[in-house]
Amino acid sequence: MKLLKILPYVVLATMSGAFVGTGIFASSEASAGDLSIVSKSMNEGEPCCGPISPAATNVLSILDGANVAHLWLPHQHVNWETGEPEASSPVYGSHCSAFTAAMSKRLGVYMLRPPDHSAVLLASAQTAWFSQEAGKKAGWHPLENAEQAQKSSNAGQLVVASYESPHPGKPGHIAIVRPSLKTMAALQEDGPEITQAGSKNYTDSTVRIGFKQHAGAWPDGVLYFAHVLPLPSLNTGLLR
């Protein structure tokens, strides 16, 4: 391989013929492989999955305003829509499915939720429901992978990451994919960004962290589903 000679503060001509101001110059002695390495290093820190759209910004405002760090807490029964504790009721485990259903309702989208299904083992039931005819008729569609999930979230769709437990009687898990400008390296290492309730609640975490307590979930057992959001209206409360 020929050595890449670097001269400061000029313009780099890429192999496509476009010019990029980088502060360095690749001399005529540089090979195509050398330029590929330089181009790759220039793009490492760029967002993987597109800009955050105005619709996605609205989703972020709903998620961040839900106060999930202090509501839908584990080891207490809660109102599934508000996350407020109901002290006179029996104590349950965590509330990932209730939180996800509540956020979906606030965004004007139906997913399987109480009273149509018990809060017990609801996450696994939701995961199965998305792929069933009822879920498809409700507007949900599967996504191929984590990158498509993050891109769809950034574009302003409601996206969930979910896992159906293979063991009857044991809970699955579900979370909302939140818009993020993360890099491809971060996406490959940790998966999409999420907001969740669970054994630990997170306003902003990742699929790898959020699903770590479910053996077999991360990375290959997590499924992604999306729903196009209805247009915001001042009469629906979607802009609160």
Side-chain angles (χ1 to χ4, degrees):
M1 180 185 293
K2 296 182 180 180
L3 293 178
L4 178 64
K5 294 183 178 179
I6 303 297
L7 299 176
Y9 305 111
V10 286
V11 176
L12 171 64
T14 68
M15 294 303 292
S16 65
F19 290 88
V20 181
T22 64
I24 63 172
F25 170 72
S27 78
S28 59
E29 295 184 24
S31 68
D34 294 328
L35 291 177
S36 175
I37 293 170
V38 173
S39 177
K40 181 178 179 181
S41 67
M42 289 163 54
N43 295 327
E44 282 179 345
E46 294 182 359
C48 68
C49 302
I52 295 176
S53 70
T57 299
N58 184 56
V59 173
L60 280 174
S61 71
I62 297 295
L63 296 178
D64 292 345
N67 196 21
V68 72
H70 300 98
L71 298 171
W72 291 276
L73 295 177
H75 311 305
Q76 55 183 268
H77 185 62
V78 302
N79 180 299
W80 76 268
E81 291 188 72
T82 67
E84 295 282 353
E86 296 178 344
S88 60
S89 299
V91 174
Y92 291 104
S94 57
H95 306 290
C96 62
S97 54
F99 171 75
T100 304
M103 295 302 99
S104 178
K105 184 176 181 180
R106 292 183 191 185
L107 288 162
V109 171
Y110 178 81
M111 71 168 61
L112 188 63
R113 64 194 187 203
D116 300 326
H117 189 283
S118 167
V120 179
L121 302 179
L122 178 55
S124 285
Q126 287 169 329
T127 305
W129 178 87
F130 290 127
S131 296
Q132 295 168 357
E133 193 63 25
K136 294 176 182 178
K137 285 184 176 180
W140 289 91
H141 60 276
L143 299 175
E144 293 182 4
N145 51 44
E147 182 179 357
Q148 194 175 91
Q150 191 65 69
K151 285 182 176 179
S152 298
S153 177
N154 287 8
Q157 295 188 41
L158 175 59
V159 181
V160 298
S162 62
Y163 172 68
E164 182 178 4
S165 173
H167 307 290
K170 290 189 176 181
H173 189 50
I174 189 168
I176 295 180
V177 176
R178 58 183 286 125
S180 170
L181 296 178
K182 70 195 312 171
T183 64
M184 181 59 72
L187 180 74
Q188 291 173 343
E189 182 174 355
D190 295 323
E193 213 74 2
I194 60 168
T195 299
Q196 72 161 47
S199 56
K200 185 172 182 179
N201 291 9
Y202 296 101
T203 300
D204 190 349
S205 187
T206 66
V207 170
R208 181 180 65 82
I209 292 174
F211 285 73
K212 66 182 180 181
Q213 294 190 354
H214 297 269
W218 169 259
D220 297 326
V222 178
L223 302 178
Y224 300 98
F225 300 91
H227 194 294
V228 175
L229 291 176
L231 292 175
S233 166
L234 292 175
N235 296 323
T236 63
L238 298 185
L239 294 181
R240 59 186 177 180

